[in-house]
Amino acid sequence: MSTAKKSYKKITTKSLTDMKNNGEKIAMLTAYDYTMAKIVDNAGIDIILVGDSASNVMAGHETTLPITLDQMIYHASSVVRATSRSLVVVDLPFGSYQGNSKSALDSAIRIMKESGGHSVKLEGGSEIAESISRILTAGIPVMGHLGLTPQSIYKFGTFTVRAKEEEEAKKLLEDAKLLEDLGCFALVLEKIPAKLAKKVAESLSIPVIGIGAGNDVDGQVLVTHDMLGMTHEFHPRFLRRYLDLYSEMTGAFEGYISDVKSRDFPNENEQY
Ligand code: KIV
């Protein structure tokens, strides 16, 4: 059993701050459906992210842009039904908050009301400050997301490491401080130099969770399907694979097909 599972019966935004203050690392993974969320929650994960990466992983889109608010609510409500311990963070999808702060609040309220999620995540810094403030004013916890923000992929042009240059690094640090000042309870940093991520984590009192941001942050997040080796065509340097489920599952499917074709399945004990 993980240390966190022993110490915290139910994870809240306060538990996460306590973990940072106690030097206990925070473990976060994605889930988009009931069965996966049940396994992840039972394993003792601290945060389940219903990421808009569902657009890639579940729907097969090239980017996260096409997923809708209704689809995010569907995924999030399935995850919430499975969860008894983890804090559930739900991504606000592209187009549901960039317009103005009123539409951002409306989207966040729909997520909270219709999915039962515990908090929302938005990508961006100063550009979306007003939206973040307004959501927070309604009592909805907000997680920030800086660095590589996949909803802006067409602005960046590539999925390469962000904030390598001084100017972008300075803006990222300023944005991180702004997000903390606004009242965000935590921050995700995606694909930035480890040195910069360390600086951000040391400068903030809220937990900083990294993905491709090195080890000197307060926690880590991975996309579950990637760490299980189900998405075998994706090989970023930051990804550690804990299983090769693509091969395992292929083997199982091939075995089943062969058993059906050869009339081995079902046998006498597998029938009524
Ligand atoms: O949507 C997602 O899975 C994410 C993580 C990569 C942090 O935002």
Side-chain angles (χ1 to χ4, degrees), residues 221-241:
V221 55
L222 284 177
V223 169
T224 297
H225 290 66
D226 294 338
M227 61 85 81
L228 292 178
M230 294 172 89
T231 49
H232 73 316
E233 66 284 354
F234 183 57
H235 294 287
R237 191 200 293 193
F238 66 76
L239 175 61
R240 185 178 293 181
R241 289 194 200 285

Side-chain angles (χ1 to χ4, degrees), residues 30 32 49 51-53 91 121 123 145 188 190 211 221 223:
T30 58
Y32 320 108
L49 172 65
D52 59 358
S53 49
D91 266 341
K121 176 163 81 59
E123 295 182 6
H145 184 157
V188 165
E190 180 164 354
I211 173 163
V221 55
V223 169

Side-chain angles (χ1 to χ4, degrees), residues 259-272:
D259 289 351
V260 171
K261 302 272 181 196
S262 67
R263 299 163 199 266
D264 178 69
F265 175 79
N267 64 26
E268 277 179 13
N269 300 322
E270 293 163 331
Q271 67 186 19
Y272 300 98

Side-chain angles (χ1 to χ4, degrees), residues 104-116:
L105 176 60
D106 290 345
S107 303
I109 287 177
R110 278 202 62 202
I111 292 216
M112 300 300 282
K113 251 189 188 312
E114 296 177 39
S115 78

Side-chain angles (χ1 to χ4, degrees), residues 78-108:
S78 309
V79 167
V80 169
R81 280 193 288 277
T83 305
S84 58
R85 179 180 173 278
S86 322
L87 183 89
V88 177
V89 179
V90 185
D91 266 341
L92 279 188
F94 177 69
S96 73
Y97 63 96
Q98 289 91 348
N100 57 59
S101 63
K102 165 84 170 65
S103 73
L105 176 60
D106 290 345
S107 303

Side-chain angles (χ1 to χ4, degrees), residues 23-269:
E24 180 180 335
K25 297 277 188 181
I26 296 162
M28 170 166 157
L29 282 173
T30 58
Y32 320 108
D33 68 88
Y34 177 87
T35 305
M36 187 70 88
K38 191 112 196 141
I39 301 170
V40 170
D41 183 67
N42 276 333
I45 207 77
D46 299 313
I47 306 175
I48 295 183
L49 172 65
V50 185
D52 59 358
S53 49
S55 180
N56 314 110
V57 176
M58 303 303 284
H61 292 296
E62 209 173 307
T63 73
T64 56
L65 275 68
I67 200 161
T68 65
L69 187 56
D70 284 338
Q71 287 165 340
M72 287 303 297
I73 289 169
Y74 167 78
H75 287 299
S77 57
S78 309
V79 167
V80 169
R81 280 193 288 277
T83 305
S84 58
R85 179 180 173 278
S86 322
L87 183 89
V88 177
V89 179
V90 185
D91 266 341
L92 279 188
F94 177 69
S96 73
Y97 63 96
Q98 289 91 348
N100 57 59
S101 63
K102 165 84 170 65
S103 73
L105 176 60
D106 290 345
S107 303
I109 287 177
R110 278 202 62 202
I111 292 216
M112 300 300 282
K113 251 189 188 312
E114 296 177 39
S115 78
H118 309 139
S119 56
V120 296
K121 176 163 81 59
L122 284 75
E123 295 182 6
S126 54
E127 323 76 38
I128 55 159
E130 194 185 317
S131 296
I132 290 178
S133 290
R134 198 150 173 186
I135 295 170
L136 286 163
T137 312
I140 301 171
V142 174
M143 176 179 270
H145 184 157
L146 296 173
L148 178 66
T149 46
Q151 290 179 14
S152 306
I153 190 58
Y154 290 115
K155 185 176 86 180
F156 298 144
T158 73
F159 284 98
T160 51
V161 180
R162 303 304 311 172
K164 276 162 98 175
E165 306 303 327
E166 206 180 314
E167 201 179 324
E168 196 181 335
K170 186 169 166 279
K171 156 107 170 89
L172 188 141
L173 196 52
E174 285 165 6
D175 278 341
K177 286 192 174 135
L178 173 67
L179 294 179
E180 169 166 80
D181 291 345
L182 290 173
C184 288
F185 72 90
L187 171 64
V188 165
L189 291 180
E190 180 164 354
K191 228 172 170 185
I192 64 165
K195 251 184 166 171
L196 175 62
K198 178 176 194 277
K199 197 166 167 190
V200 175
E202 285 172 355
S203 315
L204 302 190
S205 56
I206 58 170
V208 173
I209 319 273
I211 173 163
N215 204 354
D216 291 317
V217 286
D218 307 304
Q220 298 293 328
V221 55
L222 284 177
V223 169
T224 297
H225 290 66
D226 294 338
M227 61 85 81
L228 292 178
M230 294 172 89
T231 49
H232 73 316
E233 66 284 354
F234 183 57
H235 294 287
R237 191 200 293 193
F238 66 76
L239 175 61
R240 185 178 293 181
R241 289 194 200 285
Y242 288 83
L243 284 175
D244 179 9
L245 268 195
Y246 189 95
S247 303
E248 296 270 328
M249 290 172 78
T250 302
F253 298 144
E254 286 171 352
Y256 170 72
I257 293 164
S258 156
D259 289 351
V260 171
K261 302 272 181 196
S262 67
R263 299 163 199 266
D264 178 69
F265 175 79
N267 64 26
E268 277 179 13
N269 300 322

